[in-house]
Amino acid sequence: MLLTCHCFYFKLTSASVTMDLPQHGYRATKPRARAAPPTADSVLFEDTSSGAPAMSSQGYYTPGYNMAGPSNDMQGGPAVNNLFADPMANAAMMYGSSLANQGKDMVNKEISRFMPVNKLKYFFAVDTRYVMKKLMILMFPYTHQDWEVRYHRDTPLTPRQDVNAPDLYIPSMAFITYILLAGMALGIQKRFSPEVLGLCASTALVWVIIEVLVMLLSLYLLTVHSDLSTFDLIAYSGYKYVGMIFTVLCGLLFGSDGYFVALAWSSCALMFFIVRSLKMKILPSLSTDAMGTGSSAKPQFRLYITVATAVFQPIIIYWLTSHLVR
């Protein structure tokens, strides 16, 4: 009897332990439902090229967000259009542009007072054909026959149209070439320094300025009225740099003998060129007060001015080139 009770108690205890297992962390497993395979209509990746999903309040993107850029309101499109459509803004812009144009006109007038740009352009209207012919006339003026400057409706033709017209291109380029050649000559003789080169350039420029001022003063004191302008005088005075370059080159290549031969040739050619060129501008000119004895004396004064200008050229050439050749 006791044994039977004990066996019954053991069975009850085993059953209670089996029922209490889920309470200690174990549970019965259930079979999971397998997902259905994707159909033909399903898409593996969603097309996001048209726009990215918007951010929801939980931090996830939701469809409907546009990444194309800010709208016109964000870019200020209507505001900008309203700004240009505003009559006050248009009036302010027109007033500002008118002030800018007035300032530009005033600057151009002030520049034209001291340096007439249109006249300056005339003296640089050259081409290669004109430059070659002019250089040949400067070095071999004896073969040139027609020295008259041509006009068109009381306006002289540009240098590229008339080889007898003065220009400033050849004098300016010849001046720069002379400075470079002087630096090379000083370097060959071991006497180069920036101070000496600067002194050489300033001396050559000052001599041209003095020559032009003397010419203007002489024409004014003798009341010689001609169509010679200041730029014309600068051009005729600057042509001497071509002869100076030729003289220095011959001195560097052939020594002192070549230097003096080139000096004589360039001086004679330049004097002949100056006399024939100024003769067409100074000698035929008539003074406004030409009457009585004055009219017979003034042609002599014009001749003196022409000859003095021509004779002065070899002196300057020798003064500016003799120290470069030894």
Side-chain angles (χ1 to χ4, degrees):
M1 182 71 178
L2 182 58
L3 181 59
T4 303
C5 292
H6 182 72
C7 291
F8 180 74
Y9 177 74
F10 178 76
K11 290 180 180 181
L12 289 176
T13 305
S14 299
S16 63
V17 170
T18 304
M19 293 178 65
D20 291 335
L21 283 175
Q23 297 179 359
H24 292 279
Y26 297 92
R27 61 182 179 180
T29 59
K30 296 181 179 181
R32 291 186 178 182
R34 183 172 296 178
T39 60
D41 296 334
S42 63
V43 180
L44 182 61
F45 295 102
E46 184 179 0
D47 185 12
T48 59
S49 60
S50 60
M55 181 73 76
S56 64
S57 60
Q58 287 83 6
Y60 297 94
Y61 286 98
T62 58
Y65 180 77
N66 184 15
M67 293 185 65
S71 61
N72 291 332
D73 295 337
M74 298 178 64
Q75 293 179 352
V80 174
N81 295 332
N82 292 334
L83 176 62
F84 286 101
D86 189 3
M88 295 298 295
N90 292 333
M93 293 177 62
M94 294 177 61
Y95 182 69
S97 62
S98 64
L99 287 180
N101 293 331
Q102 292 178 3
K104 181 180 179 181
D105 295 338
M106 292 177 62
V107 171
N108 292 332
K109 289 181 180 179
E110 292 298 326
I111 294 176
S112 300
R113 286 178 56 188
F114 300 98
M115 182 179 295
V117 180
N118 293 330
K119 291 184 178 180
L120 197 61
K121 289 180 179 179
Y122 164 82
F123 289 94
F124 284 92
V126 301
D127 55 6
T128 306
R129 180 171 172 269
Y130 166 82
V131 172
M132 297 302 296
K133 284 188 174 182
K134 196 73 170 186
L135 291 177
M136 292 297 295
I137 293 174
L138 289 172
M139 298 306 300
F140 305 98
Y142 314 106
T143 59
H144 191 61
Q145 300 298 327
D146 186 13
W147 294 86
E148 185 178 359
V149 178
R150 295 177 176 83
Y151 289 82
H152 177 69
R153 296 179 181 178
D154 297 334
T155 302
L157 296 178
T158 59
R160 68 165 61 98
Q161 297 171 341
D162 184 13
V163 72
N164 295 322
D167 71 286
L168 290 175
Y169 176 80
I170 293 178
S172 59
M173 293 297 104
F175 176 77
I176 296 174
T177 306
Y178 163 73
I179 299 304
L180 297 177
L181 187 61
M184 186 181 70
L186 293 173
I188 293 174
Q189 300 171 12
K190 308 297 182 181
R191 296 187 295 122
F192 176 81
S193 66
E195 293 79 9
V196 175
L197 188 62
L199 180 62
C200 182
S202 59
T203 304
L205 187 61
V206 167
W207 272 113
V208 172
I209 295 174
I210 293 175
E211 183 181 356
V212 172
L213 292 178
V214 170
M215 283 285 296
L216 290 174
L217 183 61
S218 301
L219 295 175
Y220 175 76
L221 293 178
L222 298 177
T223 63
V224 177
H225 298 275
S226 65
D227 57 352
L228 279 174
S229 64
T230 305
F231 291 127
D232 292 330
L233 296 177
I234 294 175
Y236 287 120
S237 178
Y239 285 137
K240 69 170 63 68
Y241 293 119
V242 177
M244 293 166 58
I245 294 171
F246 175 71
T247 303
V248 174
L249 282 176
C250 290
L252 293 177
L253 295 176
F254 306 105
S256 59
D257 295 337
Y259 168 78
F260 285 108
V261 172
L263 177 62
W265 178 269
S266 60
S267 299
C268 295
L270 184 60
M271 285 192 297
F272 187 86
F273 173 82
I274 292 295
V275 170
R276 295 301 300 268
S277 298
L278 295 182
K279 178 182 177 181
M280 306 304 299
K281 291 181 174 293
I282 294 180
L283 295 182
S285 62
L286 298 176
S287 177
T288 56
D289 57 348
M291 59 181 59
T293 58
S295 61
S296 61
K298 283 180 180 178
Q300 297 178 1
F301 291 151
R302 299 187 193 117
L303 181 61
Y304 294 158
I305 293 175
T306 304
V307 174
T309 304
V311 172
F312 193 61
Q313 304 303 316
I315 300 175
I316 300 179
I317 293 177
Y318 176 77
W319 181 266
L320 296 176
T321 58
S322 59
H323 67 283
L324 299 176
V325 178
R326 289 184 179 180

